């Protein structure tokens, strides 16, 4: 049962062939059996999910009109607020944080009568490309447990790949939906910036963050996106345009489709297996009647650099509230005061009066220690980068310059989309890498976003769909990118591919 | 206060709490005085994942004020984050406007009816919107070091109005604040309640001193925490003397190496400013555009629309009263400094009785006095403008004299009667001129000594005739009695 797509399961639920309770139980059993190996979930609320499922079954029996996802279990990345539930962001800092309100996405899932199955693992505050930065657990790639599932939505991707959920919500700030989707062999869609409300999505970098569906198929992605997208009065950056009915158009093939291939995406650094698989996929499109056109992104090479200025700047600000006073774990205050007193005495005894006077106040020390203890190394690295880049004297050289290049990248896209409908290319430079392989080398880790960051900087949509496998059997993804708000085209193109191929049906052996 | 030793240079920063029902970026109430932390929501308490959404009403109130201050309105304005750590700042940053405020380059005209300074324009650098922080309450009791935070105030919309350093005396600073407060009250954009913190003032002060070696400037001091206009006036006066003494002692000037802007607080009880601990270098707030808020665009049509709703502002109103009703600048100032409804009351009385000066005198001497004694507003003052005008017409016609007219007004106030009814209740009736003449002739005949006094040039003796006449007939008009008696005496051989 759990191998079926959400669209198929919805049909079974609708016809009464299966109940939501049975389905939820099946997923719960699958999770109990498989997840100890994979570690996709941080928490699974079996009792809560079953109660929700039973309530929906009862309502269905009484003939009530139900929501779009009635009875379907959904997994949610652990940075979306759900009233009364933990929302940890994969951080020690927020390990005990319970949100007092529902994020718009969770509210829309609830009103669509979805069953909230559990919360998936992620890199701390969504910073990372391997889910190794989670302070709360490890996630393995279901295809090869020695490899990472990618990140930061590693848990969200792995749970779908291992059939522990058919619908899952991830977030993408520089590739965090598309890259793990590629590594785990599933479909992951990063919508246009502002297509889905960010209200209640614990922010990493506000101008780049965007939540989206992670599913087995494009059809399922259409279903989930249709549920969560659309204007929101609680998020002024959310686009005012109503969300189209993606499920009604997703099966229509695109006539006269022109795909753009970005010359810079096929340059040095791209793994041979990935390049082969991507070129094969493009041939499939050609066989379906698509034309292919080579284009150039002159500013693509600055994407990662610009991203690693803008994202840390916003993060340093967004994460300021985790100071142990307002939010986040607080250091042991008694210990802190004792320490300060001891330091002061020591300095005074040594006659270093001036240094003693310049010692932290207990408030400043409280901020320092709480943040030092609560954040992991990657978060600290980015907060420091951002703080530095925004500080007086560096702002113009780094932040403002980055904003200017960001505009040029957006212009590259505008220019490209005057010539082509969609842009096709690789998602990642290589298939899933080994756990621990890039941990000691932050720059290598940052380069995993090479082909994905530009879409976030420009605010356009992008999707990753399975399009091949490495000789070792690891999944390889194809990235399609669309102009703002053209998710309908993106989904139709992805569906076209999935009707002609069966890469999306491959399953890891677990 | 201003001295020949130096010129005081003053710039003011005023934080005005805008009178919205809800906060700047969420829908929590802004009402003052609620129990701590009862007017908060996940947004204003900065809960993870929350986003601000701008309150249009707050922006419009800011727009009205900026237009009334003759500011240029930016067609495009954005929000910035001002970042610093403090327990009363839930997000770790305050949403404010940094390099693109929604308005800039305005001015406010100040004048002094007492003539202490020449009428002048105080330049406005900018007026921008920002959210307020929360309130810290420190428990200083016996060794307890608990601090409590009330977030009811976080997110309350503030308009920060920054002047150019155009004021030259504490009196000018006070006049600016008084005029600003009046303007805000007329616009209805703020209740300007200083006790409740609706209007908070910081002053930047330094001195320009003429020395034999040329003009020098003392280091700029920002005086914070002033909660009344009187305090502002006193603090600036104190600070000027202190800076002069400090300069004489240390010789430190603006721009000397190692000399920074200093922050001082005003201790109202002690009447002194005190240095506040501050880092030596300028604070680095790491401002950057808030990515959670969309920029605001303002069309020229919108600006015109708001400009049309401003109504008549205090300065225009004063000019109109002076030209239309021929009253002095002092009188127009007194009237306009009352609320707008009082001005309407005045214009109604003045128009109906056809004598602006008379209306102004009665309003200042009688109506305002009673209003303040009984704590009334002009709307709750029971004698309406038409009724008062009717009385004034009778006084003008000589039907009743001014002093008895006051009695009539008192009765109108007490009994809700119109002027005619109050006069008849008081037995006031117009005395026939011939009766007055014979009364005066009688008095002159009966008081030879007074007559002799008047003839000897002691004019005050004529007052005694008035007293006697009033005893015989309380309705007798004192001025007329006096005139008649003098006429009769003059005709005596
Ligand atoms: Zn609120």
């Amino acid at each position: 049962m759990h191998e079926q797509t959400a669209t198929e399961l919805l049909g079974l639920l609708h016809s009464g062939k299966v109940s939501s309770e049975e389905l939820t139980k099946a997923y719960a059993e699958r999770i109990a059996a498989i997840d100890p190996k994979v570690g996709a979930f941080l928490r699974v609320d079996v009792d809560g999910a079953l109660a929700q499922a039973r309530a929906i079954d009862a309502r269905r029996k009484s003939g009530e009109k139900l929501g779009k996802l009635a009875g379907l279990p959904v997994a949610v990345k652990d940075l979306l607020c759900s009233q009364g539930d933990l929302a940890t962001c994969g951080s020690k800092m927020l390990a005990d944080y319970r949100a007092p309100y529902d994020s718009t996405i969770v509210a829309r899932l609830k009103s669509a009568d979805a069953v909230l199955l559990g919360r998936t693992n992620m890199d701390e505050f969504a910073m990372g490309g391997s889910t190794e930065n989670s302070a709360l657990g490890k996630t393995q790639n279901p295809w090869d447990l020695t490899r990472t599932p990618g990140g930061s939505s590693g848990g969200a991707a792995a749970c779908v790949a291992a059939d522990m959920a058919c619908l899952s919500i991830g977030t993408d700030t520089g590739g965090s939906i598309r890259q793990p989707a590629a590594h785990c062999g599933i479909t992951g869609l990063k919508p246009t910036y502002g297509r889905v409300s960010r209200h209640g999505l614990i922010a990493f970098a506000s101008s780049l963050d965007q939540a989206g569906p992670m599913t087995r198929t494009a059809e399922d992605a259409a279903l989930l996106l249709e549920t969560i997208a659309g204007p929101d009065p609680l998020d002024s950056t959310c686009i005012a345009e109503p969300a189209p009915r993606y499920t009604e158009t997703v099966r229509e093939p695109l006539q006269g489709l022109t795909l753009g291939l970005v010359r810079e995406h096929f340059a040095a650094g791209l793994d041979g297996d990935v390049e082969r698989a991507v070129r094969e996929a493009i041939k499939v499109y050609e066989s379906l009647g698509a034309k292919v056109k080579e284009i150039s992104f002159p500013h693509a090479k600055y994407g990662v650099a610009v991203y690693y200025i803008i994202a840390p700047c916003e993060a340093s600000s967004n994460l300021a509230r985790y100071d142990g006073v307002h939010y986040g774990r607080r250091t042991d205050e008694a210990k802190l005061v004792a320490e300060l007193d001891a330091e002061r005495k020591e300095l005074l005894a040594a006659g270093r009066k001036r240094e003693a006077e310049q010692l932290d106040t207990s408030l400043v020390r409280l901020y320092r220690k709480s943040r030092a203890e609560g954040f992991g190394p990657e978060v600290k690295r980015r907060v420091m980068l951002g703080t530095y880049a925004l500080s007086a004297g560096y702002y113009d050289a780094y932040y403002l310059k980055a904003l200017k290049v960001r505009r040029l990248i957006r212009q590259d896209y505008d220019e490209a989309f005057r010539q082509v409908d969609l842009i096709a290319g690789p998602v990642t430079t290589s298939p899933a890498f080994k756990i621990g392989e890039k941990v000691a080398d932050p720059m290598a880790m940052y380069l995993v976003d090479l082909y994905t960051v530009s879409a976030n900087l420009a605010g356009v949509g992008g999707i990753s769909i399975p399009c091949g496998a490495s000789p070792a059997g690891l999944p390889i993804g194809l990235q399609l990118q669309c102009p703002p708000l053209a998710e309908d085209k993106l989904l139709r193109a992805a569906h076209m591919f999935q009707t002609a191929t069966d890469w999306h049906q491959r399953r890891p052996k677990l | 206060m201003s001295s020949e030793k130096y010129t005081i240079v003053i710039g003011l920063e005023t934080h005005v709490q805008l009178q919205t029902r809800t906060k700047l970026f969420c829908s929590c109430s802004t009402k003052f005085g609620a129990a701590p932390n009862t007017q908060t929501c996940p947004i204003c308490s900065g809960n993870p994942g929350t986003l601000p959404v701008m309150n249009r009403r707050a922006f419009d109130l800011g727009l009205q004020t900026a237009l009334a201050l003759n500011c240029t309105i930016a067609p495009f304005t954005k929000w910035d984050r001002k970042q610093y750590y403090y327990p009363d700042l839930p997000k770790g940053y305050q949403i404010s406007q940094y390099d693109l405020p929604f308005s800039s380059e305005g001015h406010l005209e100040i004048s002094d009816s007492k003539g202490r300074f020449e009428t002048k324009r105080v330049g406005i650098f900018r007026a921008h919107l920002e959210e307020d922080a929360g309130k810290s309450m420190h428990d200083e009791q016996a060794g307890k070091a608990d601090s409590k935070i009330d977030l009811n105030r976080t997110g309350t919309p503030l308009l920060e109005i920054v002047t150019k350093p155009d004021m030259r005396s504490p009196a000018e600073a006070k006049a600016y604040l008084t005029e600003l407060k009046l303007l805000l009250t007329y616009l209805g954009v703020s209740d300007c309640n200083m006790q409740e913190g609706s209007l908070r003032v910081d002053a930047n002060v330094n001195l320009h001193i003429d020395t034999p070696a040329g003009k020098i400037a003392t280091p700029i001091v920002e005086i914070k925490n002033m909660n009344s206009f009187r305090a502002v006036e006193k603090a600036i006066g104190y600070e000027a003397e202190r800076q002069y003494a400090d300069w004489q002692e240390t010789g430190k000037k603006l721009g000397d190496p190692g000399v920074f802007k200093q922050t001082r607080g005003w201790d109202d009880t002690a009447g002194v400013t005190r240095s506040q601990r501050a880092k030596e270098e300028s604070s680095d707030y790491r401002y950057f555009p808030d990515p959670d808020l969309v920029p605001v665009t303002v069309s020229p049509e919108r600006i015109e629309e708001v400009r049309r709703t401003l109504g008549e502002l205090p300065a225009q109103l004063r000019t109109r009263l002076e030209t239309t009703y021929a009253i002095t600048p002092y009188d127009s100032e007194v009237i306009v400094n009352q609320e707008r409804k009082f001005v309407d009351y005045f214009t109604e009385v003045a128009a109906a009785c056809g004598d602006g000066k008379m209306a102004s005198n009665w309003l200042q001497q009688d109506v305002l006095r009673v209003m303040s004694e009984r704590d009334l507003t002009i709307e709750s003052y029971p004698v309406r403008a038409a009724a008062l005008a009717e009385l004034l017409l009778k006084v003008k016609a000589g039907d009743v004299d001014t002093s008895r007219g006051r009695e009539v007004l008192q009765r109108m106030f007490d009994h809700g009667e119109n002027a005619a009814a109050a006069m008849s209740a008081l037995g006031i009736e117009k005395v026939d001129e011939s009766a007055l003449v014979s009364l005066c002739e009688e008095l002159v005949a009966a008081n030879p000594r007074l007559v002799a006094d008047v003839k000897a040039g002691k004019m005050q003796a004529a007052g005694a005739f008035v007293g006697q006449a009033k005893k015989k007939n309380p309705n007798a008009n004192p001025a007329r009695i006096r005139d008649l008696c003098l006429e009769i005496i003059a005709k005596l051989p």
Side-chain angles (χ1 to χ4, degrees):
Chain A
M1 182 154 49
H2 41 68
E3 291 209 356
Q4 277 166 299
T5 68
T7 311
E8 288 161 356
L9 289 170
L10 209 52
L12 294 178
L13 285 164
H14 211 64
S15 64
K17 288 202 180 93
V18 67
S19 71
S20 177
E21 185 180 1
E22 288 169 310
L23 184 57
T24 306
K25 212 177 256 167
Y27 276 121
E29 281 163 11
R30 172 86 181 159
I31 292 167
I34 301 287
D35 207 41
K37 283 191 263 181
V38 178
F41 284 93
L42 286 175
R43 294 178 309 285
V44 180
D45 178 14
V46 176
D47 294 340
L50 282 174
Q52 239 185 319
R54 277 192 289 269
I56 293 164
D57 286 337
R59 284 168 55 210
R60 193 191 298 277
K61 231 173 233 154
S62 72
E64 215 176 291
K65 194 175 180 313
L66 294 174
K68 201 170 281 184
L69 298 180
L72 270 183
V74 180
V76 172
K77 189 175 179 178
D78 210 24
L79 48 51
L80 283 170
C81 293
S82 178
Q83 191 173 4
D85 286 348
L86 293 170
T88 69
C89 269
S91 179
K92 263 198 284 184
M93 201 50 129
L94 288 182
D96 299 320
Y97 175 70
R98 276 180 199 281
Y101 71 104
D102 274 340
S103 57
T104 297
I105 291 179
V106 165
R108 287 182 182 173
L109 289 174
K110 284 179 180 173
S111 71
D113 293 317
V115 171
L116 297 174
L117 188 59
R119 314 276 295 190
T120 58
N121 197 16
M122 56 185 283
D123 282 305
E124 184 176 5
F125 285 99
M127 296 177 193
S130 66
T131 316
E132 289 164 287
N133 294 329
S134 171
L136 304 177
K138 287 255 169 298
T139 303
Q140 273 83 238
N141 190 315
W143 293 88
D144 176 349
L145 298 176
T146 68
R147 291 177 190 268
T148 84
S152 64
S153 307
C159 74
V160 174
D163 289 317
M164 295 186 282
C166 59
L167 298 177
S168 144
I169 306 273
T171 64
D172 189 315
T173 306
S176 286
I177 285 177
R178 291 159 288 159
Q179 182 254 19
H183 284 340
C184 292
I186 65 160
T187 299
L189 169 64
K190 182 205 94 76
T192 303
Y193 181 76
R195 179 70 293 184
V196 177
S197 168
R198 288 186 299 113
H199 171 71
L201 187 168
I202 298 179
F204 157 19
S206 309
S207 77
L208 302 159
D209 293 343
Q210 186 59 206
M214 303 186 78
T215 57
R216 177 66 63 198
T217 65
E219 262 188 310
D220 286 1
L223 175 67
L224 192 49
L225 182 62
E226 192 173 289
T227 310
I228 61 173
D232 180 10
L234 296 171
D235 176 1
S236 71
T237 65
C238 198
I239 294 167
E241 199 117 339
R245 302 268 187 141
Y246 302 110
T247 49
E248 288 172 11
T249 55
V250 66
R251 278 170 221 89
E252 294 169 17
L254 284 160
Q255 308 295 336
L257 172 69
T258 307
L259 290 179
L261 298 195
V262 178
R263 195 177 306 131
E264 291 80 1
H265 285 175
F266 296 89
L270 180 59
D271 175 275
D273 294 330
V274 175
E275 177 164 6
R276 251 188 309 280
V278 169
R279 292 208 185 272
E280 278 303 315
I282 288 157
K283 276 192 200 130
V284 172
Y285 274 107
E286 284 176 311
S287 74
L288 295 170
K291 282 194 283 294
V292 172
K293 191 166 182 193
E294 190 173 274
I295 52 174
S296 172
F297 267 24
H299 302 96
K301 56 177 179 276
Y302 304 117
V304 171
V306 167
Y307 177 82
Y308 279 96
I309 297 292
I310 290 176
C313 283
E314 294 185 13
S316 72
S317 172
N318 285 333
L319 269 53
R321 70 194 71 190
Y322 310 113
D323 59 7
V325 174
H326 301 102
Y327 302 98
R329 83 195 273 291
R330 182 178 296 188
T331 188
D332 181 338
E333 284 175 87
K335 215 171 114 197
L336 174 155
V337 170
E339 246 175 50
L340 260 179
D341 285 346
E343 281 173 46
R344 188 168 294 115
K345 265 191 205 129
E346 204 175 299
L347 287 168
L348 288 175
R352 290 147 73 183
K353 196 163 162 251
R354 219 206 154 99
E355 286 160 77
E357 274 168 14
Q358 284 172 347
L359 217 52
D360 289 343
T361 62
S362 55
L363 180 64
V364 167
R365 182 62 64 91
L366 177 74
Y367 290 144
R368 283 194 148 139
K369 286 205 78 178
S370 297
R371 287 169 71 79
E373 291 166 5
F375 288 136
E378 183 57 29
V379 172
K380 285 180 188 160
R381 185 150 44 228
R382 297 202 196 185
V383 165
M384 292 200 311
L385 261 173
T387 305
Y388 178 79
L390 285 178
S391 59
Y394 297 100
Y395 180 90
D396 290 4
Y398 295 110
Y399 183 74
L400 266 193
K401 181 69 70 60
L403 284 190
K404 285 178 189 158
V405 181
R406 183 179 187 174
R407 210 170 306 133
L408 295 174
I409 290 171
R410 173 65 191 252
Q411 281 168 16
D412 284 355
Y413 274 100
D414 291 344
E415 179 52 36
F417 287 128
R418 274 193 277 272
Q419 304 173 45
V420 301
D421 298 303
L422 301 171
I423 292 165
V427 184
T428 57
T429 50
S430 68
F433 48 91
K434 293 266 188 192
I435 291 173
E437 189 183 321
K438 301 186 190 215
V439 166
D441 187 355
M443 266 314 289
M445 190 70 97
Y446 294 171
L447 285 169
V448 306
D449 297 329
L450 188 62
Y451 304 127
T452 48
V453 284
S454 293
N456 300 78
L457 291 168
V460 304
I463 196 168
S464 169
I465 52 175
C467 74
S470 73
L474 294 170
I476 291 170
L478 169 74
Q479 178 169 227
L480 298 172
Q481 296 179 75
C482 68
L485 293 183
E487 282 78 12
D488 55 334
K489 272 194 194 170
L490 208 54
L491 288 163
R492 286 166 67 188
H495 181 73
M496 263 168 86
F497 188 79
Q498 290 177 344
T499 49
T501 62
D502 57 5
W503 294 110
H504 61 289
Q505 283 166 355
R506 284 177 73 232
R507 292 296 202 280
K509 289 183 199 70
L510 275 160
Chain B
M1 204 77 79
S2 82
S3 159
E4 274 140 35
K5 299 183 285 195
Y6 51 73
T7 310
I8 316 178
V9 178
I10 306 159
L12 296 175
E13 290 172 22
T14 312
H15 283 92
V16 180
Q17 183 179 320
L18 294 174
Q19 211 161 19
T20 51
R21 279 185 303 106
T22 58
K23 294 183 179 180
L24 186 50
F25 297 116
C26 68
S27 53
C28 288
S29 169
T30 52
K31 234 173 130 184
F32 182 81
N37 295 308
T38 54
Q39 288 172 178
T40 63
C41 71
I43 297 170
C44 60
S45 55
N47 259 263
T50 54
L51 300 170
V53 176
M54 187 189 75
N55 178 346
R56 260 281 151 200
R57 174 85 189 131
F59 191 83
D60 283 351
L61 294 180
L63 204 55
Q64 283 180 34
T65 313
L67 285 172
L69 289 170
N70 308 291
C71 287
T72 305
I73 307 298
F76 169 96
T77 181
K78 65 179 174 67
W79 300 95
D80 300 283
R81 294 182 179 179
K82 178 183 181 178
Q83 317 200 73
Y84 62 95
Y85 286 96
Y86 204 73
D88 67 15
L89 192 71
K91 299 188 290 290
Y93 56 82
Q94 178 192 23
I95 304 177
S96 180
Q97 298 195 293
Y98 179 52
D99 55 344
L100 286 175
F102 80 94
S103 74
S104 58
E105 292 302 322
H107 61 85
L108 182 65
E109 197 154 279
I110 57 168
S111 57
D112 186 36
S113 57
K114 297 192 188 101
R116 283 169 304 179
F117 57 84
E118 304 258 305
T119 296
K120 73 190 300 184
R121 279 184 170 187
V122 176
I124 308 279
F125 269 128
R126 58 188 281 162
H128 70 256
L129 285 157
E130 63 186 30
E131 58 174 351
D132 207 345
K135 223 164 62 186
S136 306
M137 289 161 292
H138 303 293
D139 186 353
E140 314 272 331
Q141 291 173 3
K144 274 174 75 181
D146 275 0
S147 290
K148 293 174 179 167
I149 309 287
D150 177 6
L151 294 182
N152 280 353
R153 209 178 65 184
T154 29
T156 299
L158 296 179
L159 183 69
E160 184 175 343
I161 303 165
V162 185
T163 75
K164 295 183 177 171
D166 285 353
M167 286 154 280
R168 293 290 173 270
S169 68
E172 287 186 15
K174 191 181 172 202
Y176 165 81
L177 291 170
T178 309
E179 185 67 10
L180 179 66
K181 184 178 169 185
L182 188 66
L183 184 74
L184 296 166
T185 314
Y186 266 80
L187 291 167
V189 296
S190 174
D191 66 10
C192 298
N193 187 328
M194 293 191 81
Q195 280 78 47
E196 294 177 5
S198 301
L199 205 68
R200 286 171 255 162
V201 186
D202 301 337
N204 285 288
V205 179
N206 76 339
L207 308 179
H208 288 178
I209 307 173
D210 272 320
T211 73
K215 227 183 184 67
I216 67 104
T218 57
I220 297 172
V221 167
E222 183 172 12
I223 316 169
K224 294 220 171 237
N225 193 26
M226 291 179 286
N227 54 14
S228 75
F229 293 173
R230 205 185 52 94
V232 174
E233 214 179 356
K234 282 173 67 184
I236 293 171
Y238 173 87
E239 187 56 26
E241 290 297 331
R242 191 198 65 77
Q243 285 186 26
Y244 188 68
D246 191 64
W247 171 72
Q248 283 181 313
E249 193 183 319
T250 66
K252 274 189 194 160
K253 312 190 290 289
L254 184 69
D256 280 353
V259 169
F260 299 97
K261 181 168 161 176
Q262 203 193 128
T263 305
R264 297 178 74 88
W266 172 246
D267 180 338
D268 206 25
T269 340
V272 297
T273 63
R274 294 184 205 281
S275 179
Q276 290 182 338
R277 269 175 69 106
K279 281 269 159 71
E280 279 179 352
E281 65 269 73
S282 71
S283 294
D284 182 359
Y285 290 118
R286 287 175 290 114
Y287 280 100
F288 85 108
D290 192 323
D292 287 334
L293 282 157
V294 283
V296 188
T297 49
V298 191
S299 68
E301 293 76 32
R302 179 78 192 123
I303 292 173
E304 278 322 301
E305 204 178 310
V306 173
R307 207 190 290 278
R308 276 198 297 276
T309 65
L310 292 182
E312 219 172 359
L313 299 173
Q316 295 163 274
L317 211 44
R318 278 190 211 106
T319 313
R320 178 161 72 88
L321 296 192
E322 286 159 31
T323 52
T324 314
Y325 301 103
I327 58 172
T328 64
Y330 176 84
D331 288 341
S332 76
E333 189 178 302
V334 171
I335 291 166
V336 173
N337 282 7
Q338 303 300 315
E339 50 183 334
R340 172 76 218 206
K341 290 267 181 335
F342 189 86
V343 178
D344 295 340
Y345 187 96
F346 164 77
T347 53
E348 199 180 332
V349 174
C353 79
D355 188 335
K357 182 68 198 159
M358 184 186 198
S360 160
N361 288 345
W362 277 76
L363 257 61
Q364 288 182 53
Q365 285 160 28
D366 300 281
V367 178
L368 271 181
R369 184 179 47 80
V370 173
M371 273 169 60
S372 85
E373 277 169 14
R374 310 272 179 114
D375 198 19
L376 297 173
T377 64
I378 193 64
E379 286 156 292
S380 58
Y381 181 77
V383 182
R384 303 316 307 148
L388 178 58
E390 187 196 337
L391 171 61
L392 299 195
L393 281 170
K394 289 192 188 301
V395 174
K396 264 178 81 176
D399 296 358
V400 54
D401 66 68
T402 303
S403 80
R404 291 228 77 191
R406 295 223 154 84
E407 289 172 47
V408 176
L409 182 57
Q410 186 62 46
R411 189 161 172 105
M412 290 164 74
F413 179 91
D414 290 335
H415 294 86
E417 292 168 346
N418 64 22
M423 280 167 66
S424 85
L426 289 168
I428 298 172
E429 50 192 65
K430 188 166 179 167
V431 185
D432 188 64
E433 180 77 1
S434 61
L436 269 187
V437 173
S438 52
L439 175 61
C440 288
E441 281 170 344
E442 229 174 86
L443 287 172
V444 169
N447 292 287
R449 174 169 298 167
L450 286 177
V451 171
D453 284 348
V454 171
K455 287 212 155 201
K458 290 186 190 162
M459 298 310 283
Q460 67 268 38
F465 288 115
V466 175
Q468 289 188 33
K470 291 286 265 183
K471 264 183 216 148
K472 298 209 169 194
N473 185 348
N475 292 325
N477 185 320
R480 192 77 194 116
I481 296 281
R482 193 184 141 95
D483 289 350
L484 280 173
C485 287
L486 291 178
E487 267 173 45
I488 296 164
I489 292 168
K491 281 182 199 148
L492 289 177

